[in-house]
Amino acid sequence: MTQILQILSNTPLWVYILFIFLINIGIKASKPSEVSLLKISILPVIFTYLTFHSLITQTSVSLSNITILIISLIVGVLGGILQSKKIGYSYNRKTKKIESPGTWTTLILILLIFVTKFYFGYMIAAHPSILIKNHMFDVSYIFICGICSGLFIGRFIYSLLLVEKSKHKD
């Protein structure tokens, strides 16, 4: 318990602010809403940037790690497309926005990514030798980040497909 309190007390204030901001996004996504494509593109861009940033700065850049990242992104994208279809996103031609019935999945993904990045960031800071000695650390970190980023990318792609499909309906 003391170690957890020490970790939390040494966490910068901006991390808590980011956490509250992301929780707010996740809670809003749980309610039915209409969202522009621009807003839908924000989370995929942020999390994809963070994933590639993590690959470059917190793991060893190698062919195997890049391959794992690509595979996990592809799996995530496919999962995001299927999930979006199952949730029932639709496109409103009048408002030119994507309609979401509301889902807790966004909050769950945000929390998963946040906790993963927090945990792995702590491990890297507390035990820097882990980067050199443990290939499974890299694999786990890259795979989780890739899957989660891919899920957001998949949602965005599905939204683009809805818009494109609506252009051909007349």
Side-chain angles (χ1 to χ4, degrees):
M1 185 69 171
T2 308
Q3 186 177 12
I4 293 172
L5 291 175
Q6 184 180 5
I7 292 166
L8 294 175
S9 67
N10 289 325
T11 301
L13 179 62
W14 69 266
V15 174
Y16 292 107
I17 293 169
L18 176 64
F19 182 70
I20 291 168
F21 174 73
L22 292 173
I23 294 293
N24 188 40
I25 289 172
I27 291 171
K28 283 182 181 178
S30 72
K31 297 172 178 71
S33 63
E34 284 191 343
V35 185
S36 70
L37 279 175
L38 180 62
K39 276 192 174 181
I40 293 173
S41 71
I42 292 171
L43 287 177
V45 169
I46 290 171
F47 287 121
T48 302
Y49 166 78
L50 290 173
T51 296
F52 281 98
H53 182 265
S54 297
L55 173 70
I56 294 166
T57 62
Q58 297 178 328
T59 66
S60 56
V61 179
S62 65
L63 182 58
S64 65
N65 285 350
I66 292 170
T67 303
I68 290 164
L69 178 59
I70 291 169
I71 291 169
S72 64
L73 280 169
I74 291 169
V75 170
V77 166
L78 294 173
I81 291 170
L82 293 173
Q83 179 189 47
S84 296
K85 187 175 183 175
K86 184 176 181 178
I87 289 171
Y89 290 138
S90 59
Y91 181 67
N92 184 327
R93 292 173 73 180
K94 291 179 184 174
T95 62
K96 297 188 184 318
K97 293 186 177 185
I98 302 298
E99 294 178 335
S100 169
T103 177
W104 288 102
T105 308
T106 302
L107 179 61
I108 292 166
L109 287 175
I110 287 171
L111 288 173
L112 179 63
I113 293 169
F114 188 88
V115 168
T116 299
K117 294 205 61 63
F118 190 89
Y119 169 77
F120 282 95
Y122 165 76
M123 291 300 290
I124 290 166
H127 310 289
S129 62
I130 201 165
L131 290 173
I132 300 166
K133 297 179 182 175
N134 194 339
H135 181 66
M136 283 311 293
F137 178 86
D138 283 359
V139 169
S140 302
Y141 189 33
I142 292 167
F143 189 76
I144 292 168
C145 289
I147 290 283
C148 292
S149 295
L151 287 166
F152 283 113
I153 294 167
R155 283 188 188 183
F156 180 67
I157 290 171
Y158 186 78
S159 298
L160 290 174
L161 292 172
L162 287 174
V163 171
E164 190 60 33
K165 186 178 175 182
S166 79
K167 290 178 182 177
H168 301 291
K169 283 185 177 178
D170 280 325

